[in-house]
Amino acid sequence: MTSRRAFLKLAGATGAATFSPLASAQSKPRVVIVGGGVGGATTAKYLKLYAPQVEVTIVEPKREYQRPYGSSEVITGQATMEDITISYAALANRHGVRFVHDRVTAIDYDAKHVRTSDGTTLDYDRLVVSPGVSFDFDAVDGLTPELAEQRLPHGWDAGDQLLALKKQLEAVPENGTVVIGPPPNPYRCPPGPYERAGLIAQWLLDRGDTSPRVIILDPKNGFTTDVTMLQAWNRLYRFNIPAPARGKYSAEELAEMPDHENPGPIEWVMGDLGGRILGVNAETMTVEAEAGTFQADMINIVPPLKAGQVAIDQDLADESGWCPVDQRTFESTRHADVHVIGDSCIAGAMPKSGYAASSQAKVLAIQLKALLAGNGPVEPVFQNTCYALAGNTEYGMFVADVFRLQEGRITRVDEQRFLPFDATPMQYRLAALYQHAWMQSFSDDCFG
Amino acid sequence: MSASTHRTSQRLGVVLVAAVCWLAALPSQAESAQPPVPERGLMAAQTCAGCHGTQGELGDSAFVPLAGMSAERFTQAMRSFADDSRPSTLMGPLARAFTEQEIEWMADYFAAQPAPAPLNRSDREEDDS
């Protein structure tokens, strides 16, 4: 490892002398990262791997990370809060990342420093902002941040809301009704709300319920992995493909998914069938949708999402609620020397997923190394994989994509993205196996 | 280290020829003396890490560690995924989405990484300096 360090010092020094007035004035370039989630952690780790001479500081109020990916399994008991909690120790001790556990209160884009709530000021040469998402509670009549902490948790950003949902599920009476309200596009973890619906249906069936109901009230007519997920539900849960969704399949495929006379627990009220939620009443436990009023024993609405609050407060988001960036370097189009990655940024065809945030972070690490040395950016290539479970935890699926920059926009390479309709039982089982293996390998790649 | 030394002597000539490009190379190439992988190759190789481990290094996992895999074996695996002669879940479409050049860069990159020793994890824990 000594020779690697020595080499990088040499490379860094040469770059400084030749190209960069910044680096020659400053012996150690400073990168400050706002947010210690997947995007921030991966940027920090990979930047230290690729350019150890850079001083990297993560500003993050929380002392440890709770991963949202795979966290619906906390609600249904396959995972514990401990399982989804990840230490920052490896980043700090193994990779030399400095942590400031505080909240950002101001960013001075001219003076190039970040201020935190205890008055600490952190100077930067390049700033990375990766704050995840925030929630637009105003968009759902009757929903408030306070209710989300009590009767109506969304559980879409890990935390204690998952345990609240777990308790609520356990309190659902026999053959009761659970309403799930997925958010409109764009949102974090596209297959996630549907995986959660499947997991909850499976949990109720495993409990011995004979006719529970899991009603998905959806503003949308489709979702990532829908073709695979609906097929799985047809097989596993006597799910009938809604008429407006039958166009997703060929006639031959539909013939293999006959309607069940006695349909199972999951109902997908898609947008065209009036699934859009108009309001919710926590007192009466009713949800008002375009299709009518739904009485429920448990309500799990994920409100519309927008960029992380700090990105909005610090003028990095536009009127869409998300942060526009140069999609080659993720540099904000609103403020120079600031890079926004992960769920908060507008990244062309890339989804808002942990894997996407991590892929963007690795690209950014290479770009920051180049930019700090006074060089131009490198042609990027990205990858995303989202694994999901059908409900039965041995039936898995995924979406997998490679992305490239085309005319300034991150664009999906047109390849098969899902398991084919005629995939073998082994392929579904392998996808479930890989889903669980990925939780570990991915967390290690970002935080380990 | 013996494997690394062996590679060094094998590849010495290549390294001398490639010395001009050396500064653009990855730090690990300096140690193992593989042909330098350009930054674009690093771009391609790092896309594997979410499943196959940072720099291809992985402990006990359902996924295959890529660090230390020979370039020939890596390239052959990607080609057989791409033409579906090797069954897969998602590797077939992913292999087709990368260019031949990117796959060669990936192969050189992973061949240059020290192979992990999965049966002796305590040693690996110490090797983190």
Side-chain angles (χ1 to χ4, degrees):
Chain A
M1 281 304 184
T2 314
S3 60
R4 176 183 293 197
R5 289 229 170 107
F7 167 77
L8 272 155
K9 269 184 195 150
L10 174 67
T14 309
T18 316
F19 300 113
S20 177
L22 174 81
S24 57
Q26 253 317 322
S27 60
K28 282 187 167 186
R30 295 152 306 180
V31 170
V32 173
I33 300 172
V34 179
V38 164
T42 311
T43 306
K45 172 176 165 176
Y46 273 76
L47 192 53
K48 291 300 278 186
L49 283 176
Y50 295 157
Q53 77 278 11
V54 177
E55 208 171 80
V56 180
T57 306
I58 291 179
V59 187
E60 163 62 52
K62 297 198 184 83
R63 296 273 163 176
E64 47 191 13
Y65 181 64
Q66 287 179 348
R67 59 169 171 85
Y69 50 94
S71 67
S72 287
E73 289 183 66
V74 172
I75 301 170
T76 45
Q78 289 92 352
T80 63
M81 291 302 281
E82 197 181 4
D83 292 332
I84 66 162
T85 300
I86 301 173
S87 165
Y88 289 127
L91 285 175
N93 303 332
R94 187 174 174 184
H95 299 289
V97 177
R98 186 183 161 215
F99 276 82
V100 172
H101 287 296
D102 200 358
R103 202 166 43 81
V104 169
T105 51
I107 302 172
D108 186 326
Y109 296 115
D110 295 322
K112 296 177 75 168
H113 63 235
V114 171
R115 200 178 294 276
T116 70
S117 67
D118 72 358
T120 301
T121 299
L122 300 162
D123 295 320
Y124 64 79
D125 297 306
R126 293 270 171 177
L127 179 68
V128 178
V129 179
S130 183
V133 291
S134 60
F135 298 89
D136 186 6
F137 290 98
D138 292 341
V140 183
D141 190 36
L143 196 59
T144 63
E146 294 71 33
L147 278 170
E149 298 298 331
Q150 302 159 19
R151 293 299 303 276
L152 303 174
H154 52 70
W156 214 244
D157 199 25
D160 290 344
Q161 289 192 18
L162 292 167
L163 292 176
L165 286 168
K166 180 180 169 64
K167 274 189 188 155
Q168 290 186 7
L169 177 60
E170 287 164 357
V172 168
E174 190 179 346
N175 296 325
T177 298
V178 178
V179 164
I180 308 255
N185 289 324
Y187 63 98
R188 161 187 283 179
C189 190
Y194 310 91
E195 176 190 65
R196 181 177 285 182
L199 287 168
I200 287 175
Q202 181 70 47
W203 188 91
L204 292 166
L205 293 171
D206 286 346
R207 187 176 69 169
D209 291 21
T210 51
S211 56
R213 296 181 76 192
V214 178
I215 303 171
I216 304 166
L217 296 177
D218 202 337
K220 310 182 297 295
N221 288 316
F223 58 91
T224 306
T225 71
D226 57 4
V227 174
T228 329
M229 186 76 84
L230 303 181
Q231 177 194 25
W233 289 349
N234 179 268
R235 288 173 170 169
L236 297 170
Y237 303 120
R238 306 193 316 276
F239 173 80
N240 291 338
I241 310 293
R246 294 175 74 83
K248 297 176 190 290
Y249 298 96
S250 71
E252 295 77 27
E253 290 168 350
L254 284 170
E256 288 186 41
M257 297 188 294
D259 270 3
H260 298 275
E261 277 185 30
N262 175 24
I266 303 175
E267 296 161 56
W268 182 38
V269 187
M270 48 198 292
D272 279 354
L273 297 175
R276 195 166 74 86
I277 290 174
L278 304 171
V280 59
N281 187 325
E283 293 302 315
T284 59
M285 286 299 278
T286 51
V287 182
E288 196 71 40
E290 286 175 350
T293 304
F294 293 79
Q295 183 75 47
D297 300 296
M298 170 178 171
I299 297 171
N300 180 204
I301 296 171
V302 181
L305 279 75
K306 52 188 179 170
Q309 197 58 48
V310 68
I312 292 171
D313 292 346
Q314 302 304 323
D315 189 45
L316 292 166
D318 65 17
E319 63 282 354
S320 73
W322 306 100
C323 303
V325 295
D326 175 329
Q327 294 180 19
R328 185 185 303 271
T329 61
F330 294 90
E331 185 165 4
S332 167
T333 58
R334 298 169 72 86
H335 294 284
D337 301 325
V338 181
H339 304 256
V340 186
I341 58 164
D343 294 342
S344 280
C345 79
I346 300 169
M350 287 190 90
K352 299 192 184 301
S353 71
Y355 205 121
S358 147
S359 181
Q360 291 160 12
K362 292 172 197 172
V363 168
L364 177 59
I366 290 179
Q367 307 297 35
L368 285 175
K369 182 187 169 193
L371 294 169
L372 288 167
N375 298 327
V378 181
E379 189 63 25
V381 57
F382 305 89
Q383 208 256 308
N384 176 65
T385 302
C386 295
Y387 282 104
L389 300 168
N392 177 327
T393 54
E394 292 193 2
Y395 195 116
M397 65 195 72
F398 56 78
V399 57
D401 284 303
V402 171
F403 300 88
R404 297 180 189 280
L405 199 68
Q406 281 182 3
E407 294 169 1
R409 187 176 185 276
I410 298 175
T411 308
R412 195 167 70 76
V413 175
D414 190 19
E415 265 296 339
Q416 182 190 324
R417 315 173 68 196
F418 313 111
L419 278 172
F421 188 85
D422 59 355
T424 62
M426 175 61 90
Q427 285 177 302
Y428 298 111
R429 273 168 48 206
L430 279 173
L433 177 75
Y434 292 148
Q435 194 257 9
H436 285 107
W438 178 86
M439 293 294 158
Q440 186 65 48
S441 66
F442 180 71
S443 298
D444 286 350
D445 184 36
C446 304
F447 296 89
Chain B
M1 288 311 285
S2 61
S4 171
T5 312
H6 180 61
R7 273 205 295 269
T8 305
S9 56
Q10 264 190 334
R11 303 280 186 157
L12 193 57
V14 181
V15 169
L16 288 173
V17 172
V20 179
C21 311
W22 202 57
L23 279 179
L26 293 167
S28 51
Q29 262 97 54
E31 290 174 331
S32 59
Q34 287 282 326
V37 175
E39 299 289 84
R40 282 193 66 187
L42 183 56
M43 278 283 183
Q46 68 183 11
T47 62
C48 309
C51 298
H52 296 277
T54 304
Q55 297 172 327
E57 192 182 335
L58 206 56
D60 292 339
S61 175
F63 301 116
V64 175
L66 302 175
M69 184 182 284
S70 79
E72 293 75 14
R73 193 176 151 219
F74 182 91
T75 309
Q76 181 53 40
M78 290 293 270
R79 285 190 183 132
S80 57
F81 281 133
D83 67 16
D84 283 333
S85 60
R86 177 169 170 173
S88 70
T89 53
L90 52 72
M91 279 311 302
L94 285 186
R96 288 194 289 276
F98 288 103
T99 65
E100 277 286 315
Q101 173 69 80
E102 284 171 330
I103 288 169
E104 278 175 31
W105 280 330
M106 290 176 186
D108 288 343
Y109 175 81
F110 290 117
Q113 305 307 313
L119 296 178
N120 197 353
R121 303 186 79 178
S122 56
D123 287 351
R124 291 174 58 212
E125 290 303 314
E126 288 164 18
D127 182 28
D128 60 4
S129 55

